[in-house]
């Protein structure tokens, strides 16, 4: 059948909620759309979203370790990338589903239609080998090792969705903030970006940096300009994903409740709106025209203001929110109270994102 869409949850700023959002959106999307299949690809070497999906806490950590230590070919992103890169550009691709886990087989709380290409700590030590493969000289005029390496996961996603005769696929990719080659591969695998931001000034700085990484600067940097992902991507006609929504995460922590309805701080909204006005094609197209910063906010940003206790505890326990019950839950030897209203608030907040996908 077909690919519904593919999203990377990315911001080149750490700790803004990428993995937690990936976990919640993917599990909730799968519960809401049971006739679709949902794939999470974890391109964060510490495997945080994999850990949450595989059972959370220490259970998830142990499962993740089991996955990464299978020899010789782990059922993880590293297993797949290694197989493809070692076989070479012209070799037939290994069956992608051999590397994918139906999560319910490991964590019974998860919906049956949720799948995982598991994260792997060896992604980081693998970087020099991936760089080497991407920098290899082109042996024929039509070959481009850089493009081949950067589209390995895009091909993986295409193959899975095209070969499945039963269901359409929705894909979410968790990413690492650092822009190393595996993050470039993660970004290049999708058509759309979900960008979580916090309401502080560093999010504005990160937002600017995000555009530089994706699209370069004008003029390009005099020394490094020709080496960047942005320049190489243009040369190779690589499709760079478009920003679909910006998720304002944990805003109530930084702003009073009156401000909490705004998904973006004024500074970040301003930076994004200016970027939109200069290059609207860097954002996914919408039906209505956007003529003010308020219209931009309404269209491209979503607040995640009610994500707190319920969302964090659910992720720690490796449970979708629908399976959370009111009461005390043990998190790192502490009893944390989660009340029903917070669970509902959190579900509503996620639904606001999901209805925009
Ligand atoms: N809305 C929220 N409310 C409260 N805590 C949150 C919220 N979102 C994330 N957190 C917490 O903030 C921490 C960082 O979140 P997370 O690991 O998802 O961020 P990240 O962007 O994936 O980080 P990294 O850049 O390290 O990958 C976690 O402890 C998570 O539980
Ligand atoms: Mg993370």
């Amino acid at each position: 059948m077909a690919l519904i869409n593919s999203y990377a949850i990315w911001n080149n700023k750490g700790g803004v909620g990428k993995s937690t959002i990936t976990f919640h959106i993917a599990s909730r999307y799968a519960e809401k759309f049971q006739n679709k299949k949902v794939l999470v690809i974890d391109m964060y070497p510490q495997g945080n979203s994999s850990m949450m999906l595989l059972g959370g806490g220490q259970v998830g950590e142990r499962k993740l370790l089991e996955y990464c230590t299978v020899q010789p070919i782990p059922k993880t992103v590293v297993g797949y990338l290694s197989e493809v890169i070692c076989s070479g550009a012209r070799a037939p691709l290994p069956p992608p589903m051999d590397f994918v886990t139906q999560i319910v087989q490991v964590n019974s709380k998860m919906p049956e239609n949720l799948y995982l290409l598991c994260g792997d700590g060896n992604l980081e030590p693998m970087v020099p080998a991936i760089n080497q493969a991407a920098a290899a000289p082109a042996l024929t005029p039509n070959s481009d090792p850089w493009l081949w390496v950067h589209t390995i996961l895009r091909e993986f996603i295409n193959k899975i969705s095209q070969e499945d005769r039963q269901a359409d696929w929705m894909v979410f990719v968790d990413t690492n903030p650092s822009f190393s080659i595996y993050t470039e591969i993660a970004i290049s695998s999708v058509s759309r970006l979900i960008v979580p931001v916090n309401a502080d000034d560093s999010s504005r700085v990160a937002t600017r940096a995000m555009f530089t990484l994706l699209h370069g600067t004008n003029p390009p940097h005099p020394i490094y300009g020709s080496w960047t992902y942005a320049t190489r991507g243009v040369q190779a006609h690589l499709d760079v994903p478009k920003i679909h929504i910006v998720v304002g995460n944990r805003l109530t922590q930084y702003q009073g409740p009156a401000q909490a309805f705004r998904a973006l701080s004024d500074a970040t909204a301003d930076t994004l709106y200016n970027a939109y006005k200069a290059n609207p094609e860097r954002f996914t197209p919408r039906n209505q025209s956007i003529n003010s910063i308020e219209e931009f906010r309404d269209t491209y940003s979503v607040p995640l203001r009610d994500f707190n206790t319920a969302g964090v505890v659910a992720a720690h326990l490796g449970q979708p929110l629908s399976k959370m019950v009111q009461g005390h839950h043990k998190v790192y030897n502490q009893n944390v109270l989660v009340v029903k209203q917070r669970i509902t608030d959190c579900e509503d907040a996620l639904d606001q994102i999901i209805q925009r996908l």
Side-chain angles (χ1 to χ4, degrees):
M1 303 253 304
L3 179 62
I4 304 164
N5 235 317
S6 52
Y7 292 87
I9 295 80
W10 179 62
N11 183 336
N12 57 302
K13 180 168 157 49
V16 288
K18 296 179 289 298
S19 300
T20 318
I21 290 171
T22 304
F23 167 79
H24 279 303
I25 297 187
S27 51
R28 189 143 181 91
Y29 189 95
E31 283 185 325
K32 287 178 91 82
F33 299 97
Q34 287 172 17
N35 60 340
K36 321 257 185 248
K37 289 183 180 168
V38 179
L39 173 67
V40 175
I41 300 180
D42 188 354
M43 289 296 279
Y44 182 55
Q46 285 169 34
N48 285 351
S49 45
S50 300
M51 267 163 52
M52 296 176 209
L53 290 164
L54 294 173
Q58 288 180 357
V59 175
E61 202 176 322
R62 203 178 53 243
K63 294 265 164 60
L64 177 67
L65 193 64
E66 280 169 24
Y67 269 83
C68 301
T69 46
V70 167
Q71 292 297 337
I73 305 168
K75 200 173 169 175
T76 66
V77 287
V78 166
Y80 187 75
L81 289 173
S82 304
E83 276 292 282
V84 177
I85 289 174
C86 292
S87 306
R90 289 178 189 269
L93 291 173
M97 288 307 283
D98 285 2
F99 294 84
V100 170
T101 298
Q102 185 184 17
I103 298 174
V104 74
Q105 310 275 352
V106 182
N107 179 2
S108 60
K109 301 211 171 98
M110 286 294 160
E112 287 190 0
N113 54 336
L114 186 55
Y115 295 81
L116 173 68
L117 177 59
C118 188
D120 190 324
N122 285 321
L123 198 52
E124 202 72 72
M126 199 190 165
V127 163
I130 309 177
N131 276 327
Q132 188 87 9
L139 294 179
T140 61
N142 292 332
S143 68
D144 182 343
W146 187 94
L147 184 63
W148 167 61
V149 167
H150 279 79
T151 49
I152 286 179
L153 279 188
R154 183 175 280 247
E155 292 302 317
F156 174 86
I157 293 170
N158 286 342
K159 201 163 157 59
I160 285 184
S161 52
Q162 281 161 9
E163 288 179 358
D164 191 331
R165 286 165 190 270
Q166 271 131 35
D168 293 327
W169 285 78
M170 181 67 144
V171 177
F172 299 102
V173 181
D174 189 16
T175 60
N176 195 6
S178 79
F179 208 60
S180 95
I181 190 158
Y182 58 78
T183 305
E184 296 177 1
I185 294 172
I187 299 294
S188 309
S189 72
V190 298
S191 50
R192 295 175 166 190
L193 295 173
I194 296 172
V195 181
V197 298
N198 289 157
D200 54 7
D201 279 347
S202 55
S203 271
R204 177 184 40 170
V205 175
T207 306
R208 282 211 191 102
M210 181 175 73
F211 285 107
T212 303
L213 293 171
L214 290 176
H215 302 288
T217 51
N218 193 7
H221 189 280
I223 300 169
Y224 308 113
S226 59
W227 296 85
T228 61
Y229 170 79
T231 303
R232 295 300 311 271
V234 170
Q235 286 166 353
H237 305 291
L238 178 78
D239 288 329
V240 174
K242 296 177 192 295
I243 295 178
H244 187 65
I245 42 172
V246 180
V247 177
N249 191 16
R250 298 166 75 182
L251 294 174
T252 45
Q253 187 178 320
Y254 298 101
Q255 302 178 328
Q259 284 290 315
F261 291 92
R262 293 171 95 82
L264 304 177
S265 73
D266 287 339
T268 305
D270 209 40
T271 305
L272 282 163
Y273 184 49
N274 284 334
Y276 174 80
K277 281 189 293 185
N279 297 97
E281 75 287 354
R282 293 179 180 176
F283 294 74
T284 53
R286 302 298 158 95
N287 292 332
Q288 74 277 29
S289 68
I290 291 165
N291 300 306
S292 70
I293 190 161
E294 286 312 322
E295 284 174 5
F296 177 81
R297 272 186 205 265
D298 291 345
T299 309
Y300 284 105
S301 68
V302 189
L304 196 50
R305 64 192 165 105
D306 291 311
F307 200 37
N308 290 301
T309 347
V312 174
V313 173
H316 179 81
L317 300 175
Q319 303 185 1
L321 281 156
S322 64
K323 297 271 165 60
M324 283 288 289
V325 286
Q326 168 161 303
H328 284 90
H329 297 270
K330 207 154 209 157
V331 178
Y332 298 117
N333 287 329
Q334 299 224 351
N335 276 324
V336 181
L337 177 64
V338 176
V339 295
K340 180 76 189 129
Q341 188 56 46
R342 298 306 278 164
I343 301 172
T344 313
D345 287 346
C346 193
E347 287 175 333
D348 291 346
L350 285 165
D351 289 348
Q352 272 199 49
I353 300 179
I354 287 174
Q355 73 188 21
R356 307 245 199 142
L357 300 183

